[in-house]
Amino acid sequence: MSEVQLKSQRFRREREADWRRLETIVDKAEKRSASALSDDEILAMPVLYRSALSSLSVARATSLDQGLIGYLESLAARAYFFVYGARSTPQEQLVSFFSRDWPGGVRGLWRETLIAAAITLLGAAVAWWLIGTDSDWFFGFVDQGLAAGRDPTASRETLRATLYHDEGADGLSAFSTYLFTHNAQVALVAFALGFAFGAPTIVLLLMNGAMLGAMVHVFVDKGLGYEFGGWLLIHGVTELFAIVLAGAAGMKIGWAVAFPGHDSRLEALARAGRTTGAAMVGVVLMLLLAGLLEGFGRQLIGSDVARYAIAAGTALMWGLYFYGPRPARAGS
């Protein structure tokens, strides 16, 4: 028998009892759950895990046989997930996302959200003023496909018909898909461009605000401001808020890169990413809801009062969900 094999056997005899005990505890946790472990087993697992890591380190340093090293690597990896890994079920993680992670992420962006909203309003105001001086400016702000005939050349009757026209199920589905795709692109690009110190995100928010201001001007100019407001806000409260949040997240990323403070830029970027990650997952969900309201709700609901009521309801819902009082955690 070689000297390496003798060392390996001696090393195993001295420590194998602890390895076997750790393996038994991990097997029990994997087959049932971590909640099935006794108090003694829960207290013993971190100690046995660190002992296994120490054994693995020694085995690698002294070049013991590969079979033993492989066994210890596998055991340490299995134990790691119970010592440090997530201990909640997928359902618990989902509840945690909606009750804490998402609203917490949005609240953490409140400064950037105010700035993003102000930039959007600035873009809308500039477009409104420019179109008031020359209606041809409209075509510089609004894509023809998105305008779909809603431009300064349209008559009042034509514009009003677009606010209440029933396109049927197929038309509604196509319209919803088109607009959801457009708005999702704006939101995701606003976030993705944030890494460039936030400057492209600001430009995109200005452009999106300008498009909004241009559309509002066309309808207000024809005496349809109230009607257009209901048509827009039934989905726009959710959609525009989602775009503003995406822009806020993009600026958070960009400013972390530009002004990392005492951390390295990579560390600052990672910290900003943790803050914005849950918010951006939520933005996608908001855009899905906005797409449904945009393609179906506002076309099937013809009453201006009902449209404004839904818009007010969604505004109240998001306001309370993100910024309302939070329930105290158990044990706090």
Side-chain angles (χ1 to χ4, degrees):
M1 183 178 294
S2 68
E3 184 178 353
V4 171
Q5 289 176 316
L6 286 172
K7 287 182 179 179
S8 180
Q9 288 182 0
R10 192 181 310 117
F11 183 79
R12 183 188 291 268
R13 274 197 310 271
E14 292 171 354
R15 296 167 174 81
E16 190 168 17
D18 286 344
W19 304 341
R20 294 302 181 192
R21 188 182 179 202
L22 177 59
E23 186 174 18
T24 299
I25 295 173
V26 172
D27 285 342
K28 182 178 179 180
E30 288 177 340
K31 290 176 182 177
R32 298 167 69 181
S33 72
S35 61
L37 300 180
S38 67
D39 291 343
D40 288 341
E41 289 171 331
I42 292 173
L43 292 173
M45 182 179 281
V47 177
L48 295 171
Y49 169 70
R50 287 191 291 269
S51 176
L53 284 182
S54 176
S55 297
L56 176 59
S57 178
V58 172
R60 285 172 171 168
T62 56
S63 301
L64 296 182
D65 71 87
Q66 291 300 310
L68 175 60
I69 293 174
Y71 167 75
L72 290 173
E73 287 176 339
S74 175
L75 178 61
R78 292 170 61 202
Y80 171 85
F81 289 103
F82 291 98
V83 176
Y84 297 110
R87 300 181 185 179
S88 58
T89 64
Q91 293 80 7
E92 290 170 337
Q93 293 175 22
L94 194 62
V95 170
S96 176
F97 172 77
F98 282 103
S99 64
R100 290 191 295 273
D101 299 344
W102 183 12
V106 171
R107 288 196 306 276
L109 294 170
W110 70 269
R111 294 180 185 85
E112 292 83 1
T113 300
L114 289 176
I115 294 171
I119 291 170
T120 301
L121 290 174
L122 176 62
V126 169
W128 177 286
W129 178 74
L130 288 173
I131 294 172
T133 61
D134 184 351
S135 61
D136 286 342
W137 275 104
F138 175 89
F139 301 101
F141 296 127
V142 183
D143 179 81
Q144 290 293 330
L146 190 60
R150 305 177 182 95
D151 58 55
T153 65
S155 66
R156 186 180 191 279
E157 292 71 24
T158 299
L159 290 175
R160 192 179 191 285
T162 65
L163 301 179
Y164 302 102
H165 179 59
D166 183 2
E167 297 178 85
D170 293 338
L172 291 174
S173 179
F175 189 59
S176 175
T177 300
Y178 174 79
L179 288 173
F180 169 73
T181 301
H182 168 79
N183 296 320
Q185 286 175 343
V186 170
L188 296 178
V189 171
F191 173 69
L193 293 178
F195 75 93
F197 306 110
T201 298
I202 293 173
V203 172
L204 190 59
L205 289 172
L206 283 170
M207 292 172 59
N208 199 62
M211 182 185 70
L212 175 64
M215 291 295 294
V216 172
H217 189 282
V218 166
F219 283 86
V220 170
D221 191 53
K222 298 295 173 64
L224 295 170
Y226 175 77
E227 294 85 347
F228 180 73
W231 182 88
L232 174 69
L233 292 177
I234 190 174
H235 77 284
V237 169
T238 298
E239 176 186 300
L240 294 173
F241 189 22
I243 294 174
V244 165
L245 286 176
M251 286 190 287
K252 182 82 170 181
I253 293 291
W255 293 341
V257 175
F259 309 106
H262 297 296
D263 298 327
S264 68
R265 280 192 166 81
L266 189 59
E267 290 170 340
L269 186 61
R271 187 176 63 251
R274 288 191 294 270
T275 302
T276 59
M280 281 306 300
V281 173
V283 162
V284 175
L285 298 178
M286 292 175 72
L287 287 170
L288 286 170
L289 175 59
L292 293 174
L293 290 171
E294 192 166 30
F296 294 89
R298 73 177 182 185
Q299 299 295 326
L300 297 175
I301 299 172
S303 166
D304 292 324
V305 173
R307 288 175 174 180
Y308 275 104
I310 293 174
T314 55
L316 180 63
M317 177 187 73
W318 293 126
L320 290 175
Y321 178 59
F322 291 129
Y323 306 111
R326 315 306 302 174
R329 294 190 183 185
S332 59

